[in-house]
């Protein structure tokens, strides 16, 4: 599914550069733009777990997302992306078998700079930026005594398009890739007689569809 969506975005941007959809009238320039999306957050996870080995398994989440975009001119903008997700976490294939590590909430505000290919009702864009992820609401599950996650700073890549319904309202498709790493400290003294650290790459794909408004 991810490969299909990325291929579609590449084709869309190629068509934009060739001038397709250039005949439609250009929408009036607006400084502020707001979107509400439904997003799928799919971790592309891996882990290096000390002592007991194994890997990490992190569940997919479906949540709403809100973003605010400020346009410096018709093409360049900055976007702040706001959402929070809950994920189930499991250590799999360890020397102690599969270990349920409960769940954790992620709050990953992301700021991207974007370039918009203007010239019609169909407006593709590309973006890149930074992400700060906070971990909260940890439920350690039935095995671990405690689980802690370090706050993470990472990078983000973005691509998508807006389709104008009129001068104010539009539809949006957006794909983001976050490069996100954290250290998880698992206190498993009761079950395993040890505290174990894990270097975890979460690296989620975020695919969203929604509606937006220009102000």
């Amino acid at each position: 599914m991810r490969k299909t969506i990325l291929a579609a975005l590449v084709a869309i941007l190629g068509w934009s550069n060739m001038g397709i959809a250039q005949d439609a009238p250009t929408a009036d320039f607006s400084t502020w733009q707001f979107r509400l999306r439904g997003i799928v957050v799919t971790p592309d996870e891996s882990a290096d777990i000390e002592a007991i080995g194994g890997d990490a398994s992190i569940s997919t989440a479906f949540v709403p997302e809100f973003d605010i975009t400020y346009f410096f001119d018709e093409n360049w903008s900055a976007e702040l992306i706001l959402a929070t997700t809950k994920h189930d976490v499991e250590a799999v294939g360890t020397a102690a078998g599969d270990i349920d590590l409960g769940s954790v909430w992620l709050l990953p505000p992301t700021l991207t700079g974007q370039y918009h290919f203007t010239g019609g009702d169909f407006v593709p864009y590309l973006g890149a930026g930074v992400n700060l992820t906070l971990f909260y609401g940890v439920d350690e599950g039935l095995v671990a005594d405690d689980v802690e996650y370090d706050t993470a700073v990472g990078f983000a890549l973005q691509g998508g398009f807006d389709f104008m319904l009129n001068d104010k309202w539009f539809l949006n498709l957006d794909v983001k890739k976050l490069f996100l790493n954290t250290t998880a400290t698992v206190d498993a003294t009761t079950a395993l007689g040890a505290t174990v650290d894990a270097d975890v790459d979460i690296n989620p794909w975020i695919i969203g569809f929604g509606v937006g408004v220009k102000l």
Side-chain angles (χ1 to χ4, degrees):
M1 177 182 178
R2 293 195 294 264
K3 291 182 178 179
T4 300
I5 293 174
L6 287 175
L9 284 173
V10 170
I12 286 165
L13 295 175
W15 294 338
S16 174
N17 289 334
M18 291 173 62
I20 292 179
Q22 298 299 310
D23 294 334
T26 302
D28 292 338
F29 170 69
S30 300
T31 302
W32 292 98
Q33 182 172 288
F34 302 89
R35 299 187 188 94
L36 181 63
R37 304 184 183 106
I39 61 172
V40 180
V41 181
T42 304
D44 186 14
E45 71 273 36
S46 63
D48 181 10
I49 306 174
E50 68 174 23
I52 61 174
D55 207 342
S57 176
I58 305 173
S59 66
T60 295
F62 304 86
V63 298
E65 177 198 79
F66 179 70
D67 69 65
I68 304 168
T69 304
Y70 178 82
F71 280 80
F72 303 100
D73 58 31
E74 191 174 17
N75 298 106
W76 292 98
S77 69
E79 181 182 77
L80 179 62
I81 302 158
L82 303 170
T84 186
T85 60
K86 182 181 180 181
H87 300 271
D88 296 325
V89 183
E90 187 177 12
V92 297
T94 76
D98 294 346
I99 303 173
D100 180 9
L101 297 178
S103 62
V104 60
W105 285 86
L106 276 64
L107 179 63
T110 303
L111 180 66
T112 61
Q114 301 174 329
Y115 183 83
H116 300 256
F117 298 85
T118 58
D121 291 336
F122 181 74
V123 186
Y125 59 84
L126 292 173
V130 294
N131 162 264
L132 172 69
T133 297
L134 306 173
F135 298 83
Y136 70 99
V138 178
D139 178 353
E140 65 275 2
L142 300 177
V143 177
D145 300 311
D146 187 39
V147 182
E148 295 182 358
Y149 299 88
D150 289 349
T151 297
V153 177
F155 297 99
L157 295 177
Q158 180 182 33
F161 66 84
D162 297 323
F163 183 78
M164 301 304 302
L165 300 174
N166 53 44
D167 288 344
K168 186 174 183 179
W169 295 94
F170 58 91
L171 299 177
N172 172 259
L173 175 67
D174 185 86
V175 178
K176 290 184 285 291
K177 174 69 171 181
L178 301 187
F179 298 91
L180 177 61
N181 174 272
T182 185
T183 297
T185 301
V186 181
D187 180 357
T189 303
T190 300
L192 303 177
T195 295
V196 177
D197 287 337
D199 183 47
V200 183
D201 291 322
I202 302 175
N203 298 341
W205 288 92
I206 304 173
I207 302 168
F209 180 77
V211 63
V213 61
K214 291 176 176 285
L215 297 179

PDB file of all heavy atoms in Angstrom, residues 46-57 89-101 143-144 184 186 188 191-192 194 196-200:
ATOM      1  N   SER A  46      12.131  -1.295  14.321  1.00  0.00           N
ATOM      2  CA  SER A  46      13.183  -2.286  14.564  1.00  0.00           C
ATOM      3  C   SER A  46      13.814  -1.930  15.904  1.00  0.00           C
ATOM      4  O   SER A  46      13.686  -0.795  16.380  1.00  0.00           O
ATOM      5  CB  SER A  46      14.236  -2.272  13.457  1.00  0.00           C
ATOM      6  OG  SER A  46      14.909  -1.033  13.409  1.00  0.00           O
ATOM      7  N   ALA A  47      14.499  -2.894  16.511  1.00  0.00           N
ATOM      8  CA  ALA A  47      15.071  -2.636  17.840  1.00  0.00           C
ATOM      9  C   ALA A  47      16.326  -3.457  18.058  1.00  0.00           C
ATOM     10  O   ALA A  47      16.477  -4.564  17.525  1.00  0.00           O
ATOM     11  CB  ALA A  47      14.044  -2.949  18.931  1.00  0.00           C
ATOM     12  N   ASP A  48      17.222  -2.901  18.850  1.00  0.00           N
ATOM     13  CA  ASP A  48      18.406  -3.601  19.341  1.00  0.00           C
ATOM     14  C   ASP A  48      18.238  -3.717  20.851  1.00  0.00           C
ATOM     15  O   ASP A  48      18.406  -2.734  21.579  1.00  0.00           O
ATOM     16  CB  ASP A  48      19.660  -2.811  18.975  1.00  0.00           C
ATOM     17  CG  ASP A  48      20.943  -3.493  19.436  1.00  0.00           C
ATOM     18  OD1 ASP A  48      20.870  -4.663  19.869  1.00  0.00           O
ATOM     19  OD2 ASP A  48      22.007  -2.858  19.389  1.00  0.00           O
ATOM     20  N   ILE A  49      17.873  -4.909  21.317  1.00  0.00           N
ATOM     21  CA  ILE A  49      17.562  -5.132  22.733  1.00  0.00           C
ATOM     22  C   ILE A  49      18.752  -5.812  23.409  1.00  0.00           C
ATOM     23  O   ILE A  49      19.162  -6.913  23.008  1.00  0.00           O
ATOM     24  CB  ILE A  49      16.298  -6.000  22.891  1.00  0.00           C
ATOM     25  CG1 ILE A  49      15.121  -5.374  22.114  1.00  0.00           C
ATOM     26  CG2 ILE A  49      15.945  -6.162  24.361  1.00  0.00           C
ATOM     27  CD1 ILE A  49      13.875  -6.225  22.101  1.00  0.00           C
ATOM     28  N   GLU A  50      19.290  -5.152  24.409  1.00  0.00           N
ATOM     29  CA  GLU A  50      20.478  -5.699  25.067  1.00  0.00           C
ATOM     30  C   GLU A  50      20.135  -6.944  25.877  1.00  0.00           C
ATOM     31  O   GLU A  50      19.006  -7.135  26.316  1.00  0.00           O
ATOM     32  CB  GLU A  50      21.117  -4.641  25.966  1.00  0.00           C
ATOM     33  CG  GLU A  50      20.293  -4.265  27.183  1.00  0.00           C
ATOM     34  CD  GLU A  50      21.019  -3.318  28.122  1.00  0.00           C
ATOM     35  OE1 GLU A  50      21.942  -2.605  27.664  1.00  0.00           O
ATOM     36  OE2 GLU A  50      20.651  -3.271  29.311  1.00  0.00           O
ATOM     37  N   ALA A  51      21.120  -7.800  26.033  1.00  0.00           N
ATOM     38  CA  ALA A  51      21.066  -9.002  26.883  1.00  0.00           C
ATOM     39  C   ALA A  51      20.159 -10.107  26.336  1.00  0.00           C
ATOM     40  O   ALA A  51      20.581 -11.244  26.170  1.00  0.00           O
ATOM     41  CB  ALA A  51      20.658  -8.656  28.322  1.00  0.00           C
ATOM     42  N   ILE A  52      18.876  -9.793  26.036  1.00  0.00           N
ATOM     43  CA  ILE A  52      17.947 -10.858  25.646  1.00  0.00           C
ATOM     44  C   ILE A  52      17.676 -10.884  24.136  1.00  0.00           C
ATOM     45  O   ILE A  52      17.004 -11.788  23.649  1.00  0.00           O
ATOM     46  CB  ILE A  52      16.609 -10.736  26.397  1.00  0.00           C
ATOM     47  CG1 ILE A  52      15.918  -9.404  26.072  1.00  0.00           C
ATOM     48  CG2 ILE A  52      16.818 -10.893  27.895  1.00  0.00           C
ATOM     49  CD1 ILE A  52      14.525  -9.303  26.667  1.00  0.00           C
ATOM     50  N   GLY A  53      18.212  -9.910  23.390  1.00  0.00           N
ATOM     51  CA  GLY A  53      18.026  -9.909  21.940  1.00  0.00           C
ATOM     52  C   GLY A  53      16.573  -9.680  21.536  1.00  0.00           C
ATOM     53  O   GLY A  53      15.745  -9.230  22.327  1.00  0.00           O
ATOM     54  N   GLY A  54      16.265 -10.010  20.286  1.00  0.00           N
ATOM     55  CA  GLY A  54      14.900  -9.878  19.795  1.00  0.00           C
ATOM     56  C   GLY A  54      14.662  -8.565  19.063  1.00  0.00           C
ATOM     57  O   GLY A  54      15.588  -7.816  18.743  1.00  0.00           O
ATOM     58  N   ASP A  55      13.417  -8.284  18.795  1.00  0.00           N
ATOM     59  CA  ASP A  55      13.022  -7.113  18.015  1.00  0.00           C
ATOM     60  C   ASP A  55      11.771  -6.498  18.646  1.00  0.00           C
ATOM     61  O   ASP A  55      11.214  -7.042  19.609  1.00  0.00           O
ATOM     62  CB  ASP A  55      12.743  -7.514  16.568  1.00  0.00           C
ATOM     63  CG  ASP A  55      12.969  -6.381  15.584  1.00  0.00           C
ATOM     64  OD1 ASP A  55      13.011  -5.212  16.024  1.00  0.00           O
ATOM     65  OD2 ASP A  55      13.080  -6.655  14.375  1.00  0.00           O
ATOM     66  N   ALA A  56      11.308  -5.375  18.079  1.00  0.00           N
ATOM     67  CA  ALA A  56      10.118  -4.700  18.593  1.00  0.00           C
ATOM     68  C   ALA A  56       8.973  -4.819  17.607  1.00  0.00           C
ATOM     69  O   ALA A  56       9.170  -4.855  16.388  1.00  0.00           O
ATOM     70  CB  ALA A  56      10.416  -3.234  18.852  1.00  0.00           C
ATOM     71  N   SER A  57       7.758  -4.887  18.136  1.00  0.00           N
ATOM     72  CA  SER A  57       6.533  -4.845  17.337  1.00  0.00           C
ATOM     73  C   SER A  57       5.651  -3.738  17.903  1.00  0.00           C
ATOM     74  O   SER A  57       5.316  -3.743  19.089  1.00  0.00           O
ATOM     75  CB  SER A  57       5.807  -6.191  17.388  1.00  0.00           C
ATOM     76  OG  SER A  57       4.581  -6.125  16.681  1.00  0.00           O
ATOM     77  N   VAL A  89       2.856  -2.161  22.333  1.00  0.00           N
ATOM     78  CA  VAL A  89       4.270  -2.469  22.123  1.00  0.00           C
ATOM     79  C   VAL A  89       4.565  -3.879  22.622  1.00  0.00           C
ATOM     80  O   VAL A  89       4.082  -4.291  23.687  1.00  0.00           O
ATOM     81  CB  VAL A  89       5.176  -1.456  22.865  1.00  0.00           C
ATOM     82  CG1 VAL A  89       6.644  -1.740  22.578  1.00  0.00           C
ATOM     83  CG2 VAL A  89       4.815  -0.029  22.477  1.00  0.00           C
ATOM     84  N   GLU A  90       5.375  -4.595  21.841  1.00  0.00           N
ATOM     85  CA  GLU A  90       5.754  -5.956  22.219  1.00  0.00           C
ATOM     86  C   GLU A  90       7.204  -6.196  21.819  1.00  0.00           C
ATOM     87  O   GLU A  90       7.644  -5.754  20.754  1.00  0.00           O
ATOM     88  CB  GLU A  90       4.847  -6.974  21.515  1.00  0.00           C
ATOM     89  CG  GLU A  90       5.040  -8.406  21.968  1.00  0.00           C
ATOM     90  CD  GLU A  90       4.061  -9.358  21.294  1.00  0.00           C
ATOM     91  OE1 GLU A  90       3.411  -8.930  20.322  1.00  0.00           O
ATOM     92  OE2 GLU A  90       3.957 -10.527  21.731  1.00  0.00           O
ATOM     93  N   ALA A  91       7.970  -6.856  22.686  1.00  0.00           N
ATOM     94  CA  ALA A  91       9.299  -7.349  22.334  1.00  0.00           C
ATOM     95  C   ALA A  91       9.128  -8.781  21.824  1.00  0.00           C
ATOM     96  O   ALA A  91       8.556  -9.621  22.520  1.00  0.00           O
ATOM     97  CB  ALA A  91      10.227  -7.312  23.539  1.00  0.00           C
ATOM     98  N   VAL A  92       9.578  -9.031  20.604  1.00  0.00           N
ATOM     99  CA  VAL A  92       9.340 -10.333  19.982  1.00  0.00           C
ATOM    100  C   VAL A  92      10.662 -11.027  19.681  1.00  0.00           C
ATOM    101  O   VAL A  92      11.673 -10.398  19.400  1.00  0.00           O
ATOM    102  CB  VAL A  92       8.509 -10.182  18.685  1.00  0.00           C
ATOM    103  CG1 VAL A  92       7.123  -9.621  19.000  1.00  0.00           C
ATOM    104  CG2 VAL A  92       9.213  -9.293  17.676  1.00  0.00           C
ATOM    105  N   GLY A  93      10.632 -12.361  19.760  1.00  0.00           N
ATOM    106  CA  GLY A  93      11.799 -13.169  19.423  1.00  0.00           C
ATOM    107  C   GLY A  93      12.961 -13.011  20.379  1.00  0.00           C
ATOM    108  O   GLY A  93      14.124 -13.200  19.990  1.00  0.00           O
ATOM    109  N   THR A  94      12.697 -12.664  21.636  1.00  0.00           N
ATOM    110  CA  THR A  94      13.778 -12.515  22.612  1.00  0.00           C
ATOM    111  C   THR A  94      14.146 -13.877  23.201  1.00  0.00           C
ATOM    112  O   THR A  94      13.442 -14.882  22.998  1.00  0.00           O
ATOM    113  CB  THR A  94      13.373 -11.559  23.751  1.00  0.00           C
ATOM    114  OG1 THR A  94      12.476 -12.247  24.649  1.00  0.00           O
ATOM    115  CG2 THR A  94      12.688 -10.319  23.217  1.00  0.00           C
ATOM    116  N   ALA A  95      15.226 -13.899  23.990  1.00  0.00           N
ATOM    117  CA  ALA A  95      15.632 -15.134  24.660  1.00  0.00           C
ATOM    118  C   ALA A  95      14.585 -15.585  25.665  1.00  0.00           C
ATOM    119  O   ALA A  95      14.530 -16.765  26.039  1.00  0.00           O
ATOM    120  CB  ALA A  95      16.975 -14.927  25.366  1.00  0.00           C
ATOM    121  N   ALA A  96      13.729 -14.657  26.108  1.00  0.00           N
ATOM    122  CA  ALA A  96      12.655 -14.972  27.050  1.00  0.00           C
ATOM    123  C   ALA A  96      11.307 -15.118  26.340  1.00  0.00           C
ATOM    124  O   ALA A  96      10.264 -15.154  26.985  1.00  0.00           O
ATOM    125  CB  ALA A  96      12.570 -13.895  28.123  1.00  0.00           C
ATOM    126  N   GLY A  97      11.327 -15.181  25.000  1.00  0.00           N
ATOM    127  CA  GLY A  97      10.085 -15.294  24.232  1.00  0.00           C
ATOM    128  C   GLY A  97       9.522 -13.928  23.898  1.00  0.00           C
ATOM    129  O   GLY A  97      10.202 -12.899  23.993  1.00  0.00           O
ATOM    130  N   ASP A  98       8.266 -13.889  23.504  1.00  0.00           N
ATOM    131  CA  ASP A  98       7.597 -12.624  23.209  1.00  0.00           C
ATOM    132  C   ASP A  98       7.114 -11.988  24.514  1.00  0.00           C
ATOM    133  O   ASP A  98       6.503 -12.663  25.355  1.00  0.00           O
ATOM    134  CB  ASP A  98       6.409 -12.846  22.277  1.00  0.00           C
ATOM    135  CG  ASP A  98       6.847 -13.335  20.902  1.00  0.00           C
ATOM    136  OD1 ASP A  98       8.055 -13.252  20.593  1.00  0.00           O
ATOM    137  OD2 ASP A  98       5.981 -13.806  20.137  1.00  0.00           O
ATOM    138  N   ILE A  99       7.392 -10.696  24.686  1.00  0.00           N
ATOM    139  CA  ILE A  99       7.089 -10.013  25.935  1.00  0.00           C
ATOM    140  C   ILE A  99       6.145  -8.850  25.661  1.00  0.00           C
ATOM    141  O   ILE A  99       6.478  -7.925  24.906  1.00  0.00           O
ATOM    142  CB  ILE A  99       8.369  -9.492  26.616  1.00  0.00           C
ATOM    143  CG1 ILE A  99       9.352 -10.649  26.866  1.00  0.00           C
ATOM    144  CG2 ILE A  99       8.032  -8.789  27.915  1.00  0.00           C
ATOM    145  CD1 ILE A  99      10.707 -10.192  27.374  1.00  0.00           C
ATOM    146  N   ASP A 100       4.970  -8.878  26.265  1.00  0.00           N
ATOM    147  CA  ASP A 100       4.006  -7.784  26.142  1.00  0.00           C
ATOM    148  C   ASP A 100       4.483  -6.603  26.983  1.00  0.00           C
ATOM    149  O   ASP A 100       4.634  -6.717  28.202  1.00  0.00           O
ATOM    150  CB  ASP A 100       2.631  -8.270  26.623  1.00  0.00           C
ATOM    151  CG  ASP A 100       1.564  -7.173  26.528  1.00  0.00           C
ATOM    152  OD1 ASP A 100       1.848  -6.107  25.939  1.00  0.00           O
ATOM    153  OD2 ASP A 100       0.454  -7.382  27.039  1.00  0.00           O
ATOM    154  N   LEU A 101       4.722  -5.458  26.298  1.00  0.00           N
ATOM    155  CA  LEU A 101       5.189  -4.265  27.003  1.00  0.00           C
ATOM    156  C   LEU A 101       4.097  -3.211  27.121  1.00  0.00           C
ATOM    157  O   LEU A 101       4.373  -2.019  27.288  1.00  0.00           O
ATOM    158  CB  LEU A 101       6.416  -3.689  26.296  1.00  0.00           C
ATOM    159  CG  LEU A 101       7.652  -4.603  26.274  1.00  0.00           C
ATOM    160  CD1 LEU A 101       8.784  -3.956  25.513  1.00  0.00           C
ATOM    161  CD2 LEU A 101       8.079  -4.972  27.693  1.00  0.00           C
ATOM    162  N   VAL A 143       3.885  -7.896  32.318  1.00  0.00           N
ATOM    163  CA  VAL A 143       5.185  -8.532  32.549  1.00  0.00           C
ATOM    164  C   VAL A 143       6.177  -7.568  33.202  1.00  0.00           C
ATOM    165  O   VAL A 143       6.787  -7.884  34.223  1.00  0.00           O
ATOM    166  CB  VAL A 143       5.766  -9.077  31.229  1.00  0.00           C
ATOM    167  CG1 VAL A 143       7.154  -9.674  31.481  1.00  0.00           C
ATOM    168  CG2 VAL A 143       4.829 -10.122  30.638  1.00  0.00           C
ATOM    169  N   ALA A 144       6.332  -6.397  32.621  1.00  0.00           N
ATOM    170  CA  ALA A 144       7.325  -5.432  33.116  1.00  0.00           C
ATOM    171  C   ALA A 144       6.819  -4.713  34.358  1.00  0.00           C
ATOM    172  O   ALA A 144       5.614  -4.488  34.536  1.00  0.00           O
ATOM    173  CB  ALA A 144       7.657  -4.427  32.026  1.00  0.00           C
ATOM    174  N   ALA A 184      14.263   2.756  25.056  1.00  0.00           N
ATOM    175  CA  ALA A 184      13.272   2.251  26.007  1.00  0.00           C
ATOM    176  C   ALA A 184      13.985   1.498  27.122  1.00  0.00           C
ATOM    177  O   ALA A 184      14.831   0.637  26.857  1.00  0.00           O
ATOM    178  CB  ALA A 184      12.280   1.337  25.296  1.00  0.00           C
ATOM    179  N   VAL A 186      13.323  -0.977  30.147  1.00  0.00           N
ATOM    180  CA  VAL A 186      12.308  -1.903  30.655  1.00  0.00           C
ATOM    181  C   VAL A 186      12.784  -2.504  31.970  1.00  0.00           C
ATOM    182  O   VAL A 186      13.782  -3.239  32.010  1.00  0.00           O
ATOM    183  CB  VAL A 186      12.020  -3.026  29.634  1.00  0.00           C
ATOM    184  CG1 VAL A 186      10.945  -3.969  30.173  1.00  0.00           C
ATOM    185  CG2 VAL A 186      11.613  -2.443  28.295  1.00  0.00           C
ATOM    186  N   ALA A 188      12.273  -5.165  34.244  1.00  0.00           N
ATOM    187  CA  ALA A 188      11.631  -6.484  34.314  1.00  0.00           C
ATOM    188  C   ALA A 188      12.219  -7.298  35.460  1.00  0.00           C
ATOM    189  O   ALA A 188      12.447  -8.508  35.347  1.00  0.00           O
ATOM    190  CB  ALA A 188      11.816  -7.221  32.987  1.00  0.00           C
ATOM    191  N   ALA A 191       9.994 -10.359  36.608  1.00  0.00           N
ATOM    192  CA  ALA A 191       9.876 -11.472  35.658  1.00  0.00           C
ATOM    193  C   ALA A 191      11.219 -12.041  35.235  1.00  0.00           C
ATOM    194  O   ALA A 191      11.379 -13.265  35.113  1.00  0.00           O
ATOM    195  CB  ALA A 191       9.103 -11.015  34.426  1.00  0.00           C
ATOM    196  N   LEU A 192      12.215 -11.160  35.001  1.00  0.00           N
ATOM    197  CA  LEU A 192      13.491 -11.618  34.451  1.00  0.00           C
ATOM    198  C   LEU A 192      14.673 -11.363  35.369  1.00  0.00           C
ATOM    199  O   LEU A 192      15.789 -11.800  35.077  1.00  0.00           O
ATOM    200  CB  LEU A 192      13.757 -10.909  33.106  1.00  0.00           C
ATOM    201  CG  LEU A 192      12.691 -11.073  32.027  1.00  0.00           C
ATOM    202  CD1 LEU A 192      13.074 -10.247  30.798  1.00  0.00           C
ATOM    203  CD2 LEU A 192      12.538 -12.544  31.649  1.00  0.00           C
ATOM    204  N   ALA A 194      16.053  -8.440  35.878  1.00  0.00           N
ATOM    205  CA  ALA A 194      16.973  -7.500  35.253  1.00  0.00           C
ATOM    206  C   ALA A 194      16.214  -6.299  34.699  1.00  0.00           C
ATOM    207  O   ALA A 194      14.996  -6.348  34.488  1.00  0.00           O
ATOM    208  CB  ALA A 194      17.747  -8.185  34.126  1.00  0.00           C
ATOM    209  N   VAL A 196      16.381  -3.914  31.315  1.00  0.00           N
ATOM    210  CA  VAL A 196      16.899  -4.059  29.957  1.00  0.00           C
ATOM    211  C   VAL A 196      16.666  -2.777  29.173  1.00  0.00           C
ATOM    212  O   VAL A 196      15.567  -2.209  29.194  1.00  0.00           O
ATOM    213  CB  VAL A 196      16.198  -5.234  29.232  1.00  0.00           C
ATOM    214  CG1 VAL A 196      16.686  -5.346  27.793  1.00  0.00           C
ATOM    215  CG2 VAL A 196      16.445  -6.542  29.988  1.00  0.00           C
ATOM    216  N   ASP A 197      17.718  -2.305  28.476  1.00  0.00           N
ATOM    217  CA  ASP A 197      17.599  -1.161  27.588  1.00  0.00           C
ATOM    218  C   ASP A 197      17.439  -1.641  26.153  1.00  0.00           C
ATOM    219  O   ASP A 197      18.021  -2.658  25.752  1.00  0.00           O
ATOM    220  CB  ASP A 197      18.831  -0.261  27.680  1.00  0.00           C
ATOM    221  CG  ASP A 197      18.881   0.535  28.977  1.00  0.00           C
ATOM    222  OD1 ASP A 197      17.808   0.741  29.580  1.00  0.00           O
ATOM    223  OD2 ASP A 197      19.983   0.931  29.385  1.00  0.00           O
ATOM    224  N   ALA A 198      16.660  -0.885  25.383  1.00  0.00           N
ATOM    225  CA  ALA A 198      16.462  -1.208  23.968  1.00  0.00           C
ATOM    226  C   ALA A 198      16.567   0.063  23.139  1.00  0.00           C
ATOM    227  O   ALA A 198      15.952   1.084  23.474  1.00  0.00           O
ATOM    228  CB  ALA A 198      15.108  -1.869  23.741  1.00  0.00           C
ATOM    229  N   ASP A 199      17.364   0.012  22.081  1.00  0.00           N
ATOM    230  CA  ASP A 199      17.458   1.109  21.124  1.00  0.00           C
ATOM    231  C   ASP A 199      16.414   0.843  20.039  1.00  0.00           C
ATOM    232  O   ASP A 199      16.535  -0.119  19.283  1.00  0.00           O
ATOM    233  CB  ASP A 199      18.863   1.157  20.531  1.00  0.00           C
ATOM    234  CG  ASP A 199      19.045   2.319  19.578  1.00  0.00           C
ATOM    235  OD1 ASP A 199      18.660   3.445  19.924  1.00  0.00           O
ATOM    236  OD2 ASP A 199      19.540   2.091  18.444  1.00  0.00           O
ATOM    237  N   VAL A 200      15.379   1.688  19.983  1.00  0.00           N
ATOM    238  CA  VAL A 200      14.213   1.404  19.142  1.00  0.00           C
ATOM    239  C   VAL A 200      14.075   2.453  18.038  1.00  0.00           C
ATOM    240  O   VAL A 200      13.994   3.654  18.306  1.00  0.00           O
ATOM    241  CB  VAL A 200      12.913   1.386  19.983  1.00  0.00           C
ATOM    242  CG1 VAL A 200      11.724   1.009  19.105  1.00  0.00           C
ATOM    243  CG2 VAL A 200      13.047   0.424  21.155  1.00  0.00           C
TER     244      VAL A 200
END
